[in-house]
Amino acid sequence: MASAASAQLLSTFYDTSCPDALSTIRRVVTAAVRSEPRMGASLVRLHFHDCFVDGCDGSVLLADTGSFVGEQGAAPNAGSIRGMNVIDNAKTQVEAVCKQTVSCADILAVAARDSVIALGGPSWIVPLGRRDSTTASKTNAENDLPPPSSDLQGLTTKFSNKGLSITDMVALSGAHTIGQSQCKNFRDRIYNDTNIDTAFATSLKANCPQLTGSGDSSLAPLDRTSPNAFDNAYYSNLLSQKGLLHSDQVLFNGGSTDNTVRSFASNPAAFGSAFATAMVNMGNIAPKTGTQGQIRFSCSKVNS
């Protein structure tokens, strides 16, 4: 799947039609992340949630309306996805230099890369040429995105279904070196899991009461060590049983991924390289190309 897709996408896709596209996107993203570091994580997550649901086609950017509930209203996204305003801003500025040329899906893929760079992480060349979807599926978002309660087999299956390897999965999980998560996503872990550092769990309980409905949206950093730095501390946290989500800690819990976690914890360069490769692979999931889809005028709605 990935190799066929990457053959259709080209890093030079806009070199002639919109040579200023990438520098324009980077300027917008860098400013947004500088003013709010968390936004970098939000944009990476937005790209991930786009790609895992019907491919990297900008479908996650389509806003729900009275008669239409798409991916934004799906359980994994409702009340938690953010950063659409930054993509809208980038789109507006790109439109000013090249009208209806650069897709929202490509802007999002580039924004994810630029977010990682802005927080000190690795760079990679983004293959381009994706087109935008005209639909979005709430059902597919709820079926295809891995929940924070996932076990290792569940995670492996969800990633394998998208043509991604176990190494890609462990590397992409390392995006949790930045960003925050809501109490409702880690409540069960801090009160019921046994493979968790006791002091770590206790420190999280103050802002995340056990009672469902109480403090559900309270935030905690996914990587407490360096929450705004894109580094390999996420993996060191797993070694000491300080993964925030159940789906984080399952990567280091006596299973098949333990050695990869150890490798990334001890070798930042190995993680950076694997993450860059995995992001390209993820960005290659089922893109719409050629005459498929459209180039949206506005990222939040289908062209009329």
Side-chain angles (χ1 to χ4, degrees), residues 99-181:
K99 197 162 183 60
Q100 210 184 358
T101 304
V102 182
S103 68
C104 299
D106 276 346
I107 290 173
L108 182 49
V110 172
R113 188 266 315 266
D114 292 345
S115 292
V116 171
I117 293 171
L119 294 172
S123 182
W124 59 91
I125 294 169
V126 181
L128 300 163
R130 301 167 189 81
R131 288 169 65 85
D132 296 323
S133 74
T134 55
T135 58
S137 170
K138 177 177 186 282
T139 301
N140 291 353
E142 292 180 338
N143 288 337
D144 292 0
L145 289 165
S149 57
S150 299
D151 60 15
L152 187 57
Q153 184 55 56
L155 283 178
T156 303
T157 300
K158 290 257 197 281
F159 279 77
S160 174
N161 286 346
K162 302 300 174 185
L164 298 172
S165 71
I166 288 180
T167 302
D168 288 335
M169 176 183 83
V170 178
L172 290 168
S173 298
H176 287 177
T177 176
I178 52 174
Q180 307 199 36
S181 187

Side-chain angles (χ1 to χ4, degrees), residues 198-268:
T198 310
F200 175 67
T202 300
S203 69
L204 289 161
K205 289 175 181 176
N207 287 320
C208 185
Q210 191 163 10
L211 185 67
T212 300
S214 177
D216 281 7
S217 59
S218 296
L219 295 172
L222 285 153
D223 166 17
R224 181 181 287 185
T225 312
S226 49
N228 293 326
F230 197 98
D231 54 25
N232 67 330
Y234 168 82
Y235 300 100
S236 302
N237 296 339
L238 297 185
L239 297 186
S240 53
Q241 297 195 315
K242 293 177 183 173
L244 182 65
L245 305 179
H246 181 83
S247 57
D248 290 323
Q249 195 62 53
V250 295
L251 299 177
F252 188 78
N253 194 41
S256 59
T257 52
D258 282 17
N259 283 338
T260 308
V261 170
R262 281 195 194 94
S263 165
F264 291 163
S266 63
N267 190 335

